[in-house]
Amino acid sequence: MASKGDKNCRLSSTLVRAALAEFIGTYILVVIGNGSVAQSQLTNGKQGDYFTINWGWALGCSLGILISAEASGGHLNPAVTLALAVAKDFPWKRLPVYWLAQYFGALVASGSVLGVYYAILLGKRDGKFRINANLSEPEPGSAAIFANYPTPYSSVVTGLVEETLCTMIFMLIICVVTNAKYSKVPSFLQPLYIGFTLLAMGVAYGSNGGYALNPARDLAPRLVTYFGGWGPRVFSFRGYNWFWIFLVGPHVGALLGVGIFHTVFFLPEQRVVAFDRTDSQLPIVNYEYAMANVPDNKSNAFKITKQESHEEYVGCRVVTAM
């Protein structure tokens, strides 16, 4: 039987592994997504268009979850992590670690995109990075490669409602897809369904002002542009009355999405379920991750049981999400 010290050491190492998985998964999401925007914009649409950008974010999302899911649950999104914690599907004490990994992953990914396209960015801006503020309607220019900016006709209300609505739908689909008791979606298909949901949001609503659905995916790249040469206008765009939408909207939308799932669709008798770990319909989670993330007694996110044969079974309600 393992000692208490060995158990604590194992849990700590598993948390580090989960944090690294969130970092790498979020890195994959943003480096592919922002890279698709850069390729399209910097080639004037010759090597990409709006649809390829949507596919870039969708594939980045799916691949990021695929890489990180077994180690961390594949959240890749601070709004998703917070919503799962509020719904008691994720332990609060691990939330700061996940947030740090997610924001840092997006930051490094944006820096990578800037580094790869640095020469062509300088060439297109005559050696300067800038946002054109001399027009009646400021233009974000190449800063829009990294973060979300509005079209001239988009109001703050439109941007906030759109971001909240899209994230609500996104989070609701995540809950449905990853809940084995509710939808029975095989674990290997879950990243695809989540990625396709992100694709759908971009196809439907992305033209008004972008569709972050993820605070880390907007704030971290915006910080990179702030320190990378574009300056304070990445935040002061429209009088500081735009950037905050992608911090508030995703959190509100994710909370609404998880709330709708648990109050409308997920019945009380479905809340605890155990699965054989060999079941192809097991949610994206492995035994090591589940054991390291068992919350306190007030949470019903996990139920671990052992049979006389010492085979181990793991069940969960909602574990993975972008």
Side-chain angles (χ1 to χ4, degrees):
M1 182 176 180
S3 66
K4 183 177 181 180
D6 292 338
K7 182 179 179 181
N8 290 336
C9 181
R10 180 171 62 85
L11 293 181
S12 298
S13 64
T14 305
L15 180 58
V16 171
R17 179 172 175 260
L20 289 173
E22 284 294 302
F23 168 82
I24 295 171
T26 309
Y27 178 91
I28 294 296
L29 165 68
V30 176
V31 81
I32 294 176
N34 276 345
S36 68
V37 182
Q39 180 166 284
S40 175
Q41 185 178 126
L42 296 176
T43 61
N44 296 318
K46 294 180 181 179
Q47 302 297 327
D49 54 24
Y50 180 69
F51 197 55
T52 63
I53 291 172
N54 289 328
W55 272 107
W57 282 109
L59 291 173
C61 173
S62 294
L63 295 175
I65 294 173
L66 183 66
I67 290 171
S68 61
E70 286 202 6
S72 69
H75 297 187
L76 319 186
N77 186 332
V80 169
T81 303
L82 176 63
L84 294 177
V86 170
K88 297 184 179 180
D89 292 317
F90 185 77
W92 281 99
K93 63 183 179 181
R94 295 180 181 273
L95 183 142
V97 176
Y98 271 53
W99 275 17
L100 181 63
Q102 292 157 357
Y103 277 107
F104 191 54
L107 192 75
V108 175
S110 304
S112 298
V113 174
L114 176 59
V116 169
Y117 286 102
Y118 187 80
I120 187 172
L121 280 166
L122 284 178
K124 280 189 171 292
R125 290 302 177 191
D126 300 323
K128 297 179 180 179
F129 300 124
R130 66 177 182 269
I131 291 179
N132 192 342
N134 297 322
L135 304 175
S136 58
E137 173 63 31
E139 294 179 353
S142 56
I145 291 173
F146 301 92
N148 295 279
Y149 294 87
T151 54
Y153 58 81
S154 294
S155 67
V156 172
V157 173
T158 298
L160 181 60
V161 170
E162 181 179 82
E163 189 71 7
T164 302
L165 173 65
C166 290
T167 311
M168 180 187 70
I169 296 172
F170 186 56
M171 188 70 206
L172 177 60
I173 299 301
I174 287 171
C175 291
V176 169
V177 167
T178 59
N179 188 287
K181 182 68 173 179
Y182 184 81
S183 64
K184 305 285 188 183
V185 176
S187 60
F188 65 89
L189 288 179
Q190 292 174 15
L192 292 178
Y193 276 102
I194 297 171
F196 282 143
T197 303
L198 185 62
L199 174 64
M201 296 301 98
V203 169
Y205 296 107
S207 63
N208 288 328
Y211 58 108
L213 283 63
N214 183 336
R217 168 260 179 277
D218 186 88
L219 179 60
R222 202 176 293 271
L223 285 171
V224 167
T225 54
Y226 177 85
F227 292 107
W230 283 264
R233 284 178 179 162
V234 299
F235 289 101
S236 64
F237 195 88
R238 284 195 174 181
Y240 295 94
N241 201 22
W242 185 259
F243 79 93
W244 61 269
I245 289 174
F246 303 99
L247 298 176
V248 176
H251 284 297
V252 174
L255 291 172
L256 289 173
V258 77
I260 291 172
F261 177 72
H262 285 298
T263 57
V264 177
F265 297 103
F266 200 52
L267 302 177
E269 57 268 23
Q270 296 175 314
R271 294 192 184 279
V272 178
V273 59
F275 280 88
D276 186 336
R277 195 171 176 277
T278 62
D279 191 341
S280 64
Q281 295 176 335
L282 185 68
I284 301 179
V285 62
N286 66 8
Y287 181 72
E288 180 183 13
Y289 170 74
M291 288 299 293
N293 289 276
V294 175
D296 55 33
N297 294 331
K298 296 180 181 179
S299 173
N300 53 14
F302 295 100
K303 180 181 180 181
I304 310 297
T305 62
K306 291 186 178 181
Q307 293 188 344
E308 292 181 358
S309 60
H310 300 292
E311 294 178 348
E312 293 167 333
Y313 292 80
V314 177
C316 66
R317 284 196 306 179
V318 181
V319 175
T320 185
M322 196 286 284

